[in-house]
Amino acid sequence: MSSSEPSTPGRPGRRRKNSEPDEQQTPASSREGGRRRSGGRRKQEPRRFGRTLFILAGTLVVALIALGVVLFFQLSGDEEGDAAAQETRPAEYKVRDAGNMNEVLASRDVDGRVLNEGELFERRNAEISSQSIDFTLEESDLSEDCSAAVWGEGATQALADADCSQAGRATYLSDNYFGVATVFNLADVEGSRAVAEALDMPAPEEGEPAEEVVDPGFVLPPSGADPFDRLGSGYSAADAIISGHYLVVVWVQPTGSDSVDERVTLSTPLVALANFRDPLFRRMIEYDDDDSGTESTEGTEETGGEPGTEPGTEEVPGEVPGEQEGLPGEEEIPVPPAE
């Protein structure tokens, strides 16, 4: 190092570069970037959005609580409506024959149109008024899965053997009764008879305890909501009406019945709810060659029963003979005019 070049101050032996400043740069004034009050303290900015954020947060909390309450009640209602139907059967079950309809609508080869919801559940079937009873449609279902409309291995197999292609079900309420109407679209009238017989509870064989008889199963309501969750727990009755290649099952129970031992006459509500067959009458008129507009019910028969007895003449305990209500098919059911 030349003696003529002074060393860097403070650190002996280090040569100062020409590019280095003679003095350290003065740091930026602490006043830059903000104002100070007198006395040297920085002036704080006012909280402009604190109150607004508090209000917005409170509103959001209230909205979330309200949404939670609404969702709770909606889900609770859906769970009630989707409750599974009970696997029960009526205390009384009879099979009936529709006569002329069996000839006109004998098979799907003649009547090949599928059933639709508007046909089954609208028009006169939205409200059925008959026998001084007003039934109102509550819930309905039309499906190609016939097995979902019944419970029990015997009932399921019978529908499969009869080539069931559709099952329509509807629940109905009136002031004093509630019930279910079901229609199965089968291949032919023979299949309709076979399914009707398969739904009947078989009698025990000689020496066989009644409790060991296997229940073949029965129809299921489309909903297990109240009061249909009680169907079968009280005294109820059902009619299976063979209607050509369709089988219609109507099942009713008094709203106040809670015991199968409380036997009552249910022929009147059965006759009323049997008008669920109205769409089938319309089809029969379309295919009927004579286009009479009415169905003769003189040939309506009941299968089963004691030999030598006529439908409706069986004596029921607690009833006065001769004052029983008419049974389905024993009186003429008006047929709507063709459209």
Side-chain angles (χ1 to χ4, degrees):
M1 177 177 64
S2 173
S3 59
S4 62
E5 294 180 0
S7 61
T8 303
R11 298 185 65 180
R14 180 177 180 272
R15 180 181 298 178
R16 185 180 64 180
K17 296 181 180 179
N18 294 333
S19 60
E20 293 182 357
D22 293 338
E23 296 181 359
Q24 293 183 350
Q25 294 182 354
T26 304
S29 173
S30 60
R31 295 183 180 181
E32 294 180 2
R35 298 177 57 189
R36 291 182 180 273
R37 295 182 181 179
S38 59
R41 298 182 61 185
R42 184 187 297 272
K43 181 179 179 181
Q44 296 182 353
E45 296 291 337
R47 296 181 178 178
R48 300 178 181 178
F49 303 105
R51 182 179 180 84
T52 303
L53 289 175
F54 178 78
I55 295 175
L56 290 176
T59 304
L60 180 60
V61 170
V62 173
L64 290 175
I65 294 175
L67 179 61
V69 172
V70 172
L71 290 176
F72 172 79
F73 283 106
Q74 286 183 344
L75 292 175
S76 299
D78 291 342
E79 290 177 358
E80 180 180 357
D82 295 339
Q86 300 298 311
E87 296 182 353
T88 58
R89 68 164 37 254
E92 183 179 1
Y93 173 72
K94 294 180 180 179
V95 179
R96 306 187 184 279
D97 208 293
N100 190 38
M101 186 178 290
N102 294 338
E103 300 176 4
V104 179
L105 302 178
S107 70
R108 279 203 299 256
D109 293 336
V110 176
D111 174 33
R113 289 179 302 161
V114 297
L115 297 169
N116 62 75
E117 293 185 354
E119 180 183 21
L120 273 183
F121 309 126
E122 296 177 4
R123 295 183 178 180
R124 296 190 178 187
N125 280 357
E127 293 184 359
I128 298 177
S129 297
S130 177
Q131 309 294 310
S132 300
I133 300 175
D134 297 324
F135 278 110
T136 302
L137 177 67
E138 291 295 310
E139 296 188 42
S140 61
D141 176 74
L142 178 61
S143 173
E144 295 179 357
D145 183 9
C146 296
S147 62
V150 297
W151 65 271
E153 183 177 350
T156 303
Q157 187 60 49
L159 289 173
D161 294 341
D163 193 18
C164 182
S165 61
Q166 288 180 292
R169 296 174 291 166
T171 54
Y172 286 90
L173 276 178
S174 72
D175 292 338
N176 299 314
Y177 305 97
F178 61 95
V180 176
T182 304
V183 57
F184 297 106
N185 188 346
L186 309 170
D188 50 40
V189 65
E190 288 77 15
S192 178
R193 289 194 177 97
V195 173
E197 293 174 1
L199 294 176
D200 196 6
M201 188 72 175
E205 298 180 359
E206 185 177 356
E208 181 184 13
E211 57 272 12
E212 293 185 4
V213 177
V214 178
D215 196 327
F218 205 70
V219 300
L220 284 170
S223 169
D226 183 71
F228 303 99
D229 57 340
R230 297 187 287 109
L231 186 62
S233 62
Y235 186 83
S236 62
D239 282 336
I241 309 171
I242 301 169
S243 308
H245 69 96
Y246 301 101
L247 177 66
V248 177
V249 181
V250 290
W251 184 8
V252 297
Q253 178 174 313
T255 54
S257 179
D258 55 7
S259 173
V260 295
D261 297 325
E262 297 176 356
R263 186 179 177 89
V264 293
T265 301
L266 295 175
S267 55
T268 299
L270 285 173
V271 170
L273 197 55
N275 284 278
F276 180 76
R277 296 190 300 157
D278 178 76
L280 307 185
F281 282 112
R282 294 177 182 273
R283 291 197 174 201
M284 184 186 69
I285 293 173
E286 294 178 9
Y287 292 111
D288 195 357
D289 292 335
D290 58 15
D291 196 20
S292 61
T294 58
E295 178 191 12
S296 173
T297 58
E298 295 179 357
T300 302
E301 299 176 354
E302 177 186 353
T303 61
E306 295 295 331
T309 61
E310 297 180 0
T313 61
E314 300 89 350
E315 184 173 348
V316 179
E319 293 182 345
V320 179
E323 294 187 1
Q324 293 94 331
E325 298 283 354
L327 295 176
E330 289 189 327
E331 61 183 69
E332 184 171 316
I333 301 176
V335 178
E339 295 184 351

